[in-house]
């Protein structure tokens, strides 16, 4: 069975408004995450895409019946993916861009990174940063948490400095600055392309 076809079915469940179907999607993703580790090609091509669909599924949580505890199941599935992501070799692999991945593998997997949803982990970090301003609290909460942990694991990555410098409206502070010793809190105050009430609410809320 092709991995892409299996994932497409799971993504359909994760985006379904019916809570029971999404719970099935979370269970399937959790089981799948436990078998990912040995499969480097699958991790390289699909891991960030899997994160993407799981995170977007959190937008339904606020309207679900609390008895289903869907946010807990979603976060559990995401935690399964994180165990794969936070392995040193996986982080190094995913920080490579499409062209870097192709050159490092030579001709063995010439089209491997062509089908990535995100060109690299830097692009995915930008997605996380943008979702901190999402209208849905579960998405804001999780994306901020994952962004901080990525920053702690790879503090030298330029993407985090670029995103955080001048990212907050004047008068607001952010604990993210402590994870980047080269960037002071004062340096982080300024204008942002993601300003407005949503940005302020996200910072105040987390």
């Amino acid at each position: 069975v092709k991995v892409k076809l299996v994932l497409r079915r799971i993504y359909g469940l994760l985006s379904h408004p019916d809570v029971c179907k999404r719970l099935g999607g979370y269970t399937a993703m959790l089981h799948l995450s436990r078998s990912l580790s040995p499969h480097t090609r699958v991790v390289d091509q699909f891991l960030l895409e899997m994160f993407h669909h799981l995170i977007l599924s959190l937008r339904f949580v606020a309207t679900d019946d609390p008895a289903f505890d869907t946010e807990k199941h979603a976060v559990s599935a995401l935690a399964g993916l994180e165990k794969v992501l936070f392995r040193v070799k996986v982080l190094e692999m995913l920080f490579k861009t499409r062209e870097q991945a192709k050159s490092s593998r030579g001709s063995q997997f010439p089209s491997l990174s062509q089908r990535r949803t995100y060109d690299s982990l830097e692009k995915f970090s930008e997605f996380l940063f943008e979702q901190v301003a999402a209208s849905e609290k579960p998405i804001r909460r999780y994306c901020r948490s994952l962004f901080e942990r990525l920053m702690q694991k790879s503090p030298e990555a330029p993407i985090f400095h670029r995103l955080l410098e001048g990212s907050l409206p004047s008068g607001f502070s952010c604990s993210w600055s402590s994870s980047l010793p080269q960037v002071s809190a004062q340096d982080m105050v300024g204008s942002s392309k993601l300003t407005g009430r949503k940005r302020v609410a996200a910072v105040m809320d987390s």
Side-chain angles (χ1 to χ4, degrees), residues 22 36 46 56-57 91 93 115 130 135 181-182 197 203:
R22 272 182 286 117
L36 280 178
F46 296 111
L56 292 185
S57 76
L91 281 173
M93 175 176 67
R115 296 186 296 273
E130 291 169 359
S135 58
Q182 303 94 325
R197 283 179 291 181
V203 175

Side-chain angles (χ1 to χ4, degrees), residues 168-185:
L168 301 177
S170 178
F172 289 87
S173 60
C174 180
S175 61
W176 288 338
S177 59
S178 62
S179 301
L180 293 171
Q182 303 94 325
V183 183
S184 67

Side-chain angles (χ1 to χ4, degrees), residues 10-179:
I10 297 176
Y11 296 157
L13 294 175
L14 294 176
S15 62
H16 203 285
D18 183 87
V19 62
C20 293
K21 291 187 181 295
R22 272 182 286 117
L23 286 173
Y26 296 142
T27 301
M29 193 67 83
L30 180 59
H31 285 291
L32 182 59
S33 69
R34 293 169 179 166
S35 62
L36 280 178
S37 300
H39 305 289
T40 305
R41 295 181 64 179
V42 175
V43 170
D44 180 277
Q45 186 175 337
F46 296 111
L47 183 62
L48 298 182
E49 177 181 293
M50 293 162 73
F51 267 107
H52 175 93
H53 286 277
L54 271 171
I55 289 171
L56 292 185
S57 76
L58 289 170
R59 67 184 184 271
F60 296 104
V61 167
T63 57
D64 287 339
D65 186 331
F68 288 104
D69 210 3
T70 46
E71 184 173 4
K72 178 181 176 180
H73 290 283
V75 172
S76 179
L78 285 161
L81 296 183
E82 288 175 23
K83 290 180 180 178
V84 180
L85 176 64
F86 285 120
R87 295 182 177 181
V88 175
K89 290 184 178 179
V90 173
L91 281 173
E92 291 176 354
M93 175 176 67
L94 293 177
F95 262 117
K96 293 179 180 178
T97 64
R98 184 179 305 165
E99 292 303 317
Q100 290 171 333
K102 286 172 64 178
S103 62
S104 65
R105 291 186 180 89
S107 58
Q108 186 179 5
F109 306 125
S111 61
L112 180 59
S113 296
Q114 296 284 354
R115 296 186 296 273
R116 274 187 186 171
T117 299
Y118 293 95
D119 186 55
S120 70
L121 195 53
E122 288 201 355
K123 293 294 183 182
F124 179 70
S125 297
E126 291 179 355
F127 164 74
L128 290 177
F129 191 75
E130 291 169 359
Q131 295 307 308
V132 173
S135 58
E136 299 86 359
K137 185 175 180 178
I139 293 182
R140 296 200 305 269
R141 180 165 49 225
Y142 179 77
C143 287
R144 170 163 180 158
S145 173
L146 182 56
F147 186 90
E148 289 177 339
R149 279 173 284 143
L150 281 171
M151 195 161 54
Q152 290 165 4
K153 291 286 186 179
S154 304
E156 73 287 348
I159 183 67
F160 300 119
H161 296 282
R162 181 168 62 80
L163 287 174
L164 291 179
E165 285 179 346
S167 65
L168 301 177
S170 178
F172 289 87
S173 60
C174 180
S175 61
W176 288 338
S177 59
S178 62
S179 301

